[in-house]
Amino acid sequence: MSDRNPDSHHEMMHYQLREMLSELSLLQLHGQSTDCPCKLKDLGNDGKHPPENCIPKHALTLAGLFGETAAMGADSREMFTELQEEALDIHEKTKGALCQEDDPPDVVGWARQARKKIERLYYTCKVKFKQELRCTLAQPDVTYAEHSPRPVMIR
């Protein structure tokens, strides 16, 4: 039997998923922008300012988040492990593109697909019902039955 606090585990997973969505959204946004400093190749070549490397930085951060979440015993461990490998691949290919060794990967498409996978987990409503719910405001004779993702009215 696990001594893990289920509420604490749920909060940790919620945090992890929120951070993933944030990083994926930033990666998608930076990849789409034509004036993002991440895409301006001349930035940092003047010797005064370091170059912006936010796209590989976001990919590396995501790889860490995916790996950490997979290790937490997540139900979706396989998905997180695959996303970690993909994020590391995006990171390495983006690094290569910065050095003109590789073509830049499609970070926008990948970030969107990965974000959709995470959103399915993050935006799931898991409502716990311990007793039958009754609506007494609008329709006192209506009973609501337990249903995912929200109660459904039955007559």
Side-chain angles (χ1 to χ4, degrees), residues 37-54:
C38 302
K39 288 188 160 187
L40 302 177
K41 295 186 190 289
D42 295 334
L43 192 66
N45 291 339
D46 61 3
K48 297 177 187 175
H49 303 95
E52 295 293 331
N53 298 308
C54 55

Side-chain angles (χ1 to χ4, degrees), residues 28-148:
Q28 191 174 356
L29 180 69
H30 292 180
Q32 287 173 322
S33 175
T34 56
D35 61 349
C36 176
C38 302
K39 288 188 160 187
L40 302 177
K41 295 186 190 289
D42 295 334
L43 192 66
N45 291 339
D46 61 3
K48 297 177 187 175
H49 303 95
E52 295 293 331
N53 298 308
C54 55
I55 291 178
K57 175 192 73 172
H58 290 304
L60 189 59
T61 301
L62 283 162
L65 286 166
F66 293 141
E68 188 175 56
T69 305
M72 289 171 60
D75 293 338
S76 303
R77 179 190 310 250
E78 187 176 318
M79 179 189 74
F80 288 121
T81 301
E82 288 174 14
L83 287 171
Q84 179 187 27
E85 292 168 6
E86 292 171 8
L88 285 171
D89 187 53
I90 292 282
H91 171 74
E92 290 301 320
K93 287 180 179 173
T94 306
K95 257 179 43 180
L98 289 171
C99 300
Q100 286 85 31
E101 296 169 1
D102 288 324
D103 290 330
D106 177 18
V107 295
V108 174
W110 178 80
R112 184 178 189 285
Q113 289 177 341
R115 183 175 48 79
K116 293 295 180 187
K117 291 176 183 178
I118 303 303
E119 284 175 342
R120 285 193 298 240
L121 300 172
Y122 183 75
Y123 293 112
T124 298
C125 301
K126 293 191 177 181
V127 181
K128 296 179 183 175
F129 293 97
K130 298 207 184 237
Q131 56 185 317
E132 185 177 65
L133 301 176
R134 280 198 141 324
C135 178
T136 58
L137 297 176
Q139 299 174 325
D141 61 330
V142 173
T143 301
Y144 290 86
E146 183 175 342
H147 182 73
S148 180

